[in-house]
Amino acid sequence: MLDESLLDAPEALAGADRHGLLRGVAESGARVRTAARNAAESGITDLRPDGRPRTVLVAGPGPAAACVADLFGALGGGSCPVTLIRPTGVAARTGALRWTLPGWSGPLDLLLIAAPDGTDPALAQLVEQAYRRGCSIVAVSPAGGPLADAVVQARGLTVPLATTPYDAEFDGEGAPPAAPGTLWSLLTPLLALADRIGLLSATPEALAQLADRLDQVAERCGPAVGTYSNPAKTLAAELADALPLIWTEGLVAGAVGRHFATVLAGLAGRPALAGELPETMTTHGALLAGPFAAGADPDDFFRDRVEQPTALHARVVLLREEPPGPLSAAPAARDLVLEHDTPVSELEPDDGSDLEKAAELLAVTDFAAVYLGLAGTKGS
């Protein structure tokens, strides 16, 4: 249940936002600028690499590392394989996780470590593995931590993590895994590195435009902007009591869609499924006609409206990075959804580089997840 009145009450939203989630999303542009300065001061912009790596390996705790790897691959357009090293362990906490390099990794490969917390000894052990294999190593982590020291000893490059004073609020009980803007603190220096080694275009000017686009989205989607003209609040209201089926078209949109499903779970406590067109029309097709269909389980007169929550019904969220072309599956997807009387929400960014489009889609969906979590918590 969503308290829609809370969406248009900025002071009440601020009171419900105990962990500063809205502030975290709104200051993403500032994080990009700080992270870009940190990258330049660490020497990334002065690198003169001999060529591209054979493979880029990405490791780190929490969902941010997975998103970094996903976006790296999408924005690179397949110019270099990107492999996420997923952790193993008995628990998802510092000291319990383990990372192991693939057996084929060696001197031609680049290891990127995205670590909001640089105290995990297992990441330092991963650095030692990479050093023995001859891999190049770059890490973004808090300055002065064990991970940063291990990277220096392994003759790698470390970039201090761009932080804000309120990041400490995420160390308390019941807090989300990380501040929403942390992704940009981790990703920005690695984008600058990718530009230097020729994997994608992320010049200092492009990073400045990225920060500007994030600021523009924050102005459009901030808590002071009413729901009727706020795309993030509108999307949050549309997803109330819905099972979001996030259908994407394009590499960048695919990465954003998977991230959106992750933050809906982590920030809003809502289940969501993400898939890429056209395959997802088949894999999610049964959800449009089964018990989650829009017309399923009609309101029962005898249902206990206090004890029994409203049933979730599928709603398609169509994410595109550009207008549909002649080979687009979006029109067929829209027709399929309408045939099943299923509601649909659509997001498409303004013109710009792939990096700017990714930033806009990420920021709007991050804002929407936060609004859904805050208003949903208040209304439950």
Side-chain angles (χ1 to χ4, degrees), residues 38-51 53 72 110-112 136-140 155-159 188-199 204:
N38 289 350
E41 293 170 359
S42 299
I44 282 183
T45 55
D46 297 326
L47 290 177
R48 297 292 183 269
D50 295 331
F72 227 69
L110 170 64
L111 172 63
L112 304 179
S136 300
I137 307 168
V138 177
V140 182
R155 300 179 183 177
L157 178 64
T158 181
V159 181
T188 302
L190 300 180
L191 291 173
L193 172 67
D195 179 75
R196 299 309 303 158
I197 61 180
L199 297 184

Coordinates of all heavy atoms in Angstrom, one line a residue, residues 38-51 53 72 110-112 136-140 155-159 188-199 204:
N38 N 39.3 13.0 -7.9 CA 40.2 12.0 -7.3 C 40.9 11.1 -8.3 O 42.1 10.8 -8.1 CB 39.3 11.1 -6.4 CG 38.8 11.8 -5.1 OD1 39.2 12.9 -4.8 ND2 37.9 11.1 -4.4
A39 N 40.2 10.8 -9.4 CA 40.9 10.0 -10.5 C 42.0 10.8 -11.1 O 43.1 10.2 -11.3 CB 39.8 9.6 -11.5
A40 N 41.8 12.1 -11.3 CA 42.9 12.9 -11.9 C 44.0 13.0 -11.0 O 45.2 12.9 -11.4 CB 42.3 14.3 -12.3
E41 N 43.8 13.3 -9.7 CA 44.8 13.4 -8.7 C 45.6 12.1 -8.5 O 46.8 12.1 -8.1 CB 44.3 13.9 -7.4 CG 43.7 15.4 -7.5 CD 43.0 15.8 -6.3 OE1 42.8 14.9 -5.4 OE2 42.5 16.9 -6.2
S42 N 44.9 11.0 -8.8 CA 45.6 9.7 -8.6 C 46.4 9.3 -9.8 O 47.1 8.3 -9.8 CB 44.6 8.6 -8.3 OG 43.8 8.9 -7.1
G43 N 46.4 10.1 -10.9 CA 47.2 9.8 -12.1 C 46.5 9.1 -13.2 O 47.2 8.8 -14.2
I44 N 45.2 8.8 -13.1 CA 44.5 8.1 -14.1 C 44.6 8.8 -15.5 O 44.8 8.3 -16.5 CB 43.1 7.7 -13.7 CG1 43.1 6.5 -12.8 CG2 42.2 7.4 -14.9 CD1 41.8 6.0 -12.3
T45 N 44.3 10.1 -15.4 CA 44.2 10.9 -16.7 C 45.6 11.1 -17.3 O 45.7 11.5 -18.5 CB 43.6 12.3 -16.4 OG1 44.4 13.0 -15.3 CG2 42.2 12.2 -16.0
D46 N 46.7 10.7 -16.6 CA 48.0 10.9 -17.2 C 48.6 9.5 -17.7 O 49.7 9.5 -18.2 CB 49.0 11.4 -16.1 CG 48.6 12.8 -15.7 OD1 48.1 13.6 -16.6 OD2 48.8 13.2 -14.5
L47 N 47.8 8.5 -17.6 CA 48.2 7.1 -18.0 C 48.5 7.1 -19.5 O 47.7 7.7 -20.3 CB 47.2 6.1 -17.6 CG 47.1 5.8 -16.1 CD1 46.0 4.7 -15.9 CD2 48.4 5.2 -15.5
R48 N 49.5 6.4 -19.9 CA 49.8 6.1 -21.3 C 49.9 4.6 -21.6 O 51.0 4.1 -21.7 CB 51.1 6.8 -21.7 CG 51.1 8.4 -21.6 CD 50.1 9.0 -22.6 NE 50.1 10.4 -22.6 CZ 49.3 11.2 -21.8 NH1 48.4 10.6 -21.0 NH2 49.4 12.5 -21.8
P49 N 48.8 3.9 -21.6 CA 48.8 2.5 -21.7 C 49.3 2.0 -23.1 O 49.2 2.7 -24.1 CB 47.3 2.1 -21.5 CG 46.5 3.3 -21.9 CD 47.4 4.5 -21.6
D50 N 49.8 0.8 -23.1 CA 50.3 0.2 -24.3 C 49.2 -0.3 -25.2 O 49.4 -0.5 -26.4 CB 51.3 -0.9 -24.0 CG 52.6 -0.4 -23.3 OD1 52.9 0.7 -23.6 OD2 53.2 -1.2 -22.5
G51 N 48.1 -0.6 -24.7 CA 47.0 -1.2 -25.4 C 45.9 -1.6 -24.5 O 45.9 -1.4 -23.3
P53 N 43.4 -4.3 -22.5 CA 43.6 -5.6 -21.8 C 42.8 -6.6 -22.6 O 41.9 -6.4 -23.4 CB 43.0 -5.4 -20.5 CG 42.0 -4.3 -20.6 CD 42.6 -3.4 -21.7
F72 N 29.9 -1.3 -17.4 CA 31.2 -1.2 -18.1 C 31.1 -2.0 -19.4 O 31.5 -1.5 -20.5 CB 32.3 -1.9 -17.2 CG 33.6 -1.1 -17.1 CD1 33.6 0.1 -16.5 CD2 34.7 -1.6 -17.7 CE1 34.8 0.8 -16.3 CE2 35.9 -0.9 -17.6 CZ 36.0 0.3 -16.9
L110 N 43.1 -7.2 -16.8 CA 43.0 -6.0 -15.8 C 42.0 -6.3 -14.8 O 40.8 -6.6 -15.1 CB 42.6 -4.7 -16.6 CG 42.2 -3.5 -15.8 CD1 43.4 -3.0 -15.0 CD2 41.7 -2.4 -16.7
L111 N 42.4 -6.2 -13.5 CA 41.5 -6.4 -12.4 C 41.0 -5.1 -11.8 O 41.9 -4.2 -11.4 CB 42.1 -7.2 -11.3 CG 41.4 -7.4 -10.0 CD1 40.1 -8.1 -10.2 CD2 42.2 -8.0 -8.9
L112 N 39.7 -4.8 -11.8 CA 39.2 -3.6 -11.2 C 38.4 -4.0 -9.9 O 37.6 -4.9 -10.0 CB 38.2 -2.9 -12.2 CG 38.7 -2.6 -13.5 CD1 37.6 -2.0 -14.4 CD2 39.9 -1.6 -13.4
S136 N 47.2 -6.5 -14.2 CA 47.2 -5.1 -13.8 C 46.1 -4.9 -12.8 O 45.0 -5.5 -12.9 CB 47.0 -4.2 -15.0 OG 48.1 -4.4 -15.9
I137 N 46.2 -4.0 -11.8 CA 45.3 -3.9 -10.7 C 44.9 -2.4 -10.5 O 45.8 -1.6 -10.4 CB 45.8 -4.5 -9.4 CG1 46.3 -5.9 -9.6 CG2 44.7 -4.4 -8.3 CD1 47.1 -6.4 -8.4
V138 N 43.6 -2.1 -10.5 CA 43.2 -0.7 -10.1 C 42.0 -0.9 -9.1 O 41.1 -1.7 -9.4 CB 42.7 0.0 -11.4 CG1 42.1 1.4 -10.9 CG2 43.8 0.2 -12.3
A139 N 42.0 -0.2 -8.1 CA 41.0 -0.3 -7.0 C 40.4 1.1 -6.7 O 41.2 2.1 -6.6 CB 41.5 -0.9 -5.8
V140 N 39.1 1.2 -6.5 CA 38.5 2.4 -5.9 C 38.0 2.0 -4.5 O 37.1 1.1 -4.4 CB 37.3 2.9 -6.8 CG1 36.7 4.1 -6.2 CG2 37.8 3.1 -8.2
R155 N 51.9 -2.9 -6.6 CA 52.3 -2.0 -7.7 C 51.1 -1.7 -8.6 O 51.2 -1.5 -9.8 CB 53.4 -2.6 -8.5 CG 54.7 -2.8 -7.8 CD 55.8 -3.5 -8.6 NE 57.0 -3.8 -7.8 CZ 58.0 -4.4 -8.3 NH1 58.1 -4.7 -9.6 NH2 59.1 -4.6 -7.5
G156 N 49.9 -1.6 -8.0 CA 48.7 -1.3 -8.7 C 48.4 0.2 -8.4 O 49.2 1.0 -7.8
L157 N 47.2 0.6 -8.9 CA 46.8 2.0 -8.7 C 45.5 2.0 -7.9 O 44.5 1.3 -8.2 CB 46.5 2.6 -10.1 CG 46.0 4.0 -10.2 CD1 47.0 5.0 -9.6 CD2 45.6 4.4 -11.6
T158 N 45.5 2.9 -6.9 CA 44.3 3.0 -6.1 C 43.7 4.4 -6.1 O 44.5 5.4 -6.1 CB 44.5 2.6 -4.6 OG1 43.3 2.7 -3.8 CG2 45.6 3.5 -4.0
V159 N 42.4 4.6 -6.2 CA 41.8 5.9 -6.2 C 40.9 6.0 -5.0 O 40.1 5.1 -4.7 CB 40.9 6.0 -7.5 CG1 40.2 7.4 -7.5 CG2 41.7 5.8 -8.8
T188 N 32.8 6.3 -11.6 CA 33.4 7.4 -12.3 C 34.9 7.2 -12.5 O 35.4 7.4 -13.6 CB 33.1 8.7 -11.5 OG1 31.7 8.9 -11.4 CG2 33.7 9.9 -12.3
P189 N 35.7 6.9 -11.5 CA 37.2 6.7 -11.7 C 37.4 5.6 -12.7 O 38.4 5.7 -13.5 CB 37.7 6.4 -10.4 CG 36.7 6.9 -9.4 CD 35.4 6.7 -10.0
L190 N 36.6 4.6 -12.7 CA 36.8 3.5 -13.6 C 36.5 3.8 -15.0 O 37.1 3.3 -16.0 CB 36.1 2.2 -13.1 CG 36.4 1.7 -11.7 CD1 35.6 0.5 -11.4 CD2 37.9 1.4 -11.7
L191 N 35.5 4.7 -15.2 CA 35.2 5.3 -16.5 C 36.3 6.1 -17.1 O 36.7 6.0 -18.2 CB 33.9 6.1 -16.5 CG 32.6 5.4 -16.2 CD1 31.5 6.4 -16.0 CD2 32.2 4.5 -17.4
A192 N 36.9 6.9 -16.2 CA 38.1 7.7 -16.6 C 39.2 6.7 -17.0 O 39.9 7.0 -18.0 CB 38.6 8.6 -15.5
L193 N 39.4 5.6 -16.3 CA 40.5 4.7 -16.7 C 40.1 4.0 -18.0 O 41.0 3.9 -18.9 CB 40.6 3.6 -15.6 CG 41.4 2.4 -15.9 CD1 42.9 2.8 -16.0 CD2 41.3 1.3 -14.9
A194 N 38.8 3.6 -18.2 CA 38.4 3.0 -19.5 C 38.7 3.9 -20.7 O 39.0 3.5 -21.8 CB 36.9 2.6 -19.4
D195 N 38.5 5.2 -20.5 CA 38.8 6.2 -21.5 C 40.2 6.1 -21.9 O 40.6 6.2 -23.1 CB 38.3 7.6 -21.1 CG 38.6 8.6 -22.1 OD1 37.9 8.7 -23.1 OD2 39.6 9.4 -22.0
R196 N 41.1 6.1 -20.9 CA 42.6 6.1 -21.2 C 43.0 4.8 -21.9 O 44.0 4.9 -22.7 CB 43.4 6.2 -19.9 CG 43.1 7.5 -19.1 CD 43.2 8.7 -19.9 NE 44.5 8.8 -20.6 CZ 44.8 9.5 -21.6 NH1 43.8 10.2 -22.3 NH2 46.0 9.6 -22.1
I197 N 42.4 3.7 -21.6 CA 42.8 2.4 -22.3 C 42.0 2.1 -23.5 O 42.2 1.0 -24.1 CB 42.8 1.3 -21.3 CG1 41.4 1.0 -20.7 CG2 43.8 1.5 -20.1 CD1 41.3 -0.2 -19.8
G198 N 41.1 3.0 -23.9 CA 40.4 2.9 -25.2 C 39.2 2.0 -25.2 O 38.8 1.5 -26.3
L199 N 38.6 1.7 -24.0 CA 37.5 0.8 -24.0 C 36.2 1.6 -24.3 O 35.2 1.0 -24.8 CB 37.4 0.2 -22.6 CG 38.5 -0.8 -22.2 CD1 38.2 -1.5 -20.9 CD2 38.7 -1.8 -23.3
P204 N 37.3 13.9 -19.6 CA 36.9 14.8 -18.5 C 35.7 15.7 -18.9 O 34.8 15.9 -18.1 CB 38.2 15.7 -18.3 CG 39.3 14.8 -18.7 CD 38.8 14.0 -19.9

